[in-house]
Amino acid sequence: LSIAAVLAGCSTATTPGSKGVSPLVAAANEEAAATMRIDNLFAAEGTTQQTELPTGNATYEGLVHGDTGGGSGPDLEYYADLTLEVDFDTDGITGTVDNVRTDLGGFITPSGSAPVTGSVSMAPGDAELSFAATGTLTGVDRTATYDLNADGDFIGDTAQAARGTHTTDFIWTAGPDTGDTSWSDGDWLAEQ
């Protein structure tokens, strides 16, 4: 009887769906937690003013989220990791968009990355930034040129975070939708 109870306990230890959440769900959970932190920072300190920007360099890490959009290609939702290297002395921005995850078959976790270039706005008032990223992403049976254009604001008294919106095109260069474009616009956020 005790052996049967042990075996029964072993069989219930591996239930369907116990291997974790999908990459999109995990990214959505990560985005929700970061959004809450940045919302709390915004409620306490507001947007960063141009006069509050720090000097030197800062690294921001976060996510880009594209909602299902449109275009002549297939609809897709995606998340990607975002790293921004900001030089507040020169107002230059570099970085990377990588680790892309989508809901499109044959393109669920494409390899590749897109280098970021951008700048911090010198206009008075709220401290703003804009950046672009272009690169090649290769999936199981699809390849696309990834083209992102983003802008936004720094958040907090010392620019502890940043967030904004973006437009993204996936220009299909190989696979069943070659020659078509899928757009997946949305938002982005990053924290020091």
Side-chain angles (χ1 to χ4, degrees):
L1 181 62
S2 63
I3 292 174
V6 169
L7 291 176
C10 290
S11 66
T12 60
T14 55
T15 58
S18 64
K19 294 187 180 201
V21 296
S22 77
L24 284 181
V25 171
N29 291 339
E30 184 181 338
E31 181 189 39
T35 297
M36 183 179 296
R37 289 190 301 271
I38 294 173
D39 285 348
N40 289 340
L41 177 63
F42 177 77
E45 301 180 14
T47 55
T48 309
Q49 297 301 298
Q50 190 72 30
T51 55
E52 296 174 320
L53 287 174
T55 58
N57 299 313
T59 300
Y60 295 82
E61 295 184 346
L63 292 166
V64 177
H65 177 219
D67 293 317
T68 300
S72 58
D75 286 348
L76 76 146
E77 179 180 12
Y78 84 97
Y79 283 93
D81 292 347
L82 173 66
T83 302
L84 299 175
E85 302 287 345
V86 181
D87 184 335
F88 288 107
D89 296 332
T90 66
D91 298 318
I93 298 173
T94 58
T96 308
V97 175
D98 61 4
N99 192 25
V100 175
R101 292 88 83 191
T102 83
D103 64 353
L104 180 61
F107 202 70
I108 298 293
T109 55
S111 63
S113 62
V116 167
T117 58
S119 62
V120 178
S121 171
M122 295 305 297
D126 292 346
E128 299 176 345
L129 68 158
S130 60
F131 57 92
T134 302
T136 301
L137 302 177
T138 303
V140 173
D141 63 4
R142 300 171 186 271
T143 300
T145 298
Y146 172 87
D147 185 29
L148 172 137
N149 289 286
D151 57 25
D153 297 303
F154 288 100
I155 306 297
D157 290 343
T158 57
Q160 304 97 302
R163 65 180 174 192
T165 59
H166 69 87
T167 60
T168 300
D169 288 336
F170 291 84
I171 304 161
W172 302 106
T173 59
D177 302 295
T178 299
D180 289 334
T181 299
S182 299
W183 52 266
S184 185
D185 304 342
D187 52 31
W188 63 271
L189 50 75
E191 304 167 282
Q192 284 194 51

